[in-house]
Every structure is written in structure tokens, then in C-alpha cells.
Amino acid sequence: MSRIGKKPITVPSGVKVSLEPASRTIRAEGPQGRLAYEWRPEVTVALEDGGRRVHCTLPEAHQNSRQARAYWGTVRARINNMIDGVSKGFRKDLEVVGVGWNAQAAGSKLKLNIGYCHPIEMTPPDGVKFQIAGQVITITGPDRQAVGQFAAVVRSKRPPEPYNGKGIKYSNEQIIRKEGKAFGS
């Protein structure tokens, strides 16, 4: 049995959740935006308490399937993240470390000057916003996957290197520093 899948999801006030069982789609709308998710056919999703709780179950036919039990927990986690996202939102902070390196907003695009001969311009996906304060880039949005993916793509343009620590890193990331070459005896 899935320990995560069994837990009901409480819908906070200010969030509206609707189900479309025919298309296996759940929609959530809140102060941070709207999201929709199509769940797996092995799992059953239902609203309880007048739409204040969402409950995921696994039908008897799929109880012995290891793959279906894995989908059960995944569907519950995705729906929980969706409800958290439309109520509170998600956030990732990145730091640009390097002399003369910076990030700027160029309209709706993110412009990175990170040691290459040309600036790198990146467009965030729909629903994802970014703010720049000094050397810190804050990426926010209701969709956890989109926020994390955009942060990972920005970081991949110049990952931190272990000798000088230069690069783009998450604000809570620890860079394990290496010792450089030792000269003399």
C-alpha cells in the first residue's frame, strides 16, 4: 500500500478544485493562477466534503500491481503540488557568482552575462516569472515542475566550478571546493 497515496489532500480556502472524471482531469484555481492535471487511468480521484478534500484510491483490480501502486503515490503528490502551487506558489533562488557576471531583465527575457563572448537570453515558460535583485535571480510560479525546470536550465548555462566557485548556483547549494595545484616543494 502506498503511504503517500492513502493520505487525503486538504484544499485550503480560496482554492477551487473541479473534477472531470470522463477525461480524468482535475483543475485547480487559486490566487497564484490555474493549473490542470490529467491523472493515470489506474488511479481513481474523488472530491469529498463538498470539494474541501481530494482523495486518491487504487481500485481492487490494481491492488497487486507494483507499477499501479507507484502511480497512486505519484498522482497524489502531483495533485498536492498543484493545490499548493495555486495557493502559495513555488520559488527557486539562484546566485550568479563571478567578477563582472550578472543577470538582467530584457523585457520578458532573462539576459545572462556570465563570461561568454555573448550574452545569453532565455525566455521563461508560461506562468513562470523571475525577478533580479543584485546577483540573485528569484524564479516563481504556481507549477512546481516548470519553476524547477527553468531554474535547472538557467543553472546549466554555467554550473558552478569547484576551484574558484564561479558559476550559477542555487542559493542553498554547497559547492565542495577543491585545492588547486601546489607549486614548490
Side-chain angles (χ1 to χ4, degrees):
M1 297 298 268
S2 172
R3 292 184 188 150
I4 294 175
K6 285 192 276 189
K7 295 180 184 177
I9 303 165
T10 304
V11 179
S13 61
V15 175
K16 296 177 190 169
V17 177
S18 63
L19 283 179
E20 297 172 13
S23 62
R24 296 187 334 266
T25 304
I26 184 168
R27 298 182 190 285
E29 184 176 347
Q32 299 293 324
R34 301 178 185 174
L35 292 175
Y37 173 63
E38 183 179 334
W39 69 83
R40 296 284 308 186
E42 295 89 351
V43 181
T44 306
V45 178
L47 284 175
E48 298 174 348
D49 297 337
R52 300 310 328 154
R53 287 174 29 151
V54 179
H55 194 75
C56 301
T57 57
L58 195 61
E60 196 67 36
H62 296 290
Q63 289 287 334
N64 294 330
S65 170
R66 188 178 182 114
Q67 190 70 44
R69 289 194 312 262
Y71 288 142
W72 183 18
T74 302
V75 166
R76 191 256 181 217
R78 294 280 306 264
I79 293 172
N80 188 45
N81 287 338
M82 187 174 76
I83 291 172
D84 283 350
V86 296
S87 63
K88 297 180 274 191
F90 292 100
R91 168 186 176 149
K92 291 276 188 181
D93 293 326
L94 299 168
E95 293 177 10
V96 180
V97 179
V99 177
W101 294 8
N102 61 23
Q104 301 166 345
S108 64
K109 294 185 176 183
L110 175 64
K111 184 177 174 184
L112 299 171
N113 294 312
I114 49 176
Y116 296 118
C117 62
H118 60 284
I120 297 172
E121 290 189 356
M122 303 177 70
T123 305
D126 293 337
V128 176
K129 300 178 187 106
F130 64 90
Q131 294 178 343
I132 300 165
Q135 297 293 94
V136 178
I137 305 166
T138 303
I139 300 170
T140 58
D143 188 357
R144 184 176 189 169
Q145 191 274 331
V147 169
Q149 181 66 36
F150 185 63
V153 169
V154 170
R155 182 185 180 277
S156 73
K157 297 303 176 186
R158 187 67 104 159
E161 53 98 6
Y163 295 101
N164 296 322
K166 295 183 352 181
I168 300 174
K169 69 179 194 84
Y170 295 111
S171 61
N172 59 355
E173 183 178 8
Q174 294 286 329
I175 306 300
I176 297 172
R177 303 295 291 271
K178 291 183 179 178
E179 187 177 325
K181 290 184 178 178
F183 293 102
S185 54

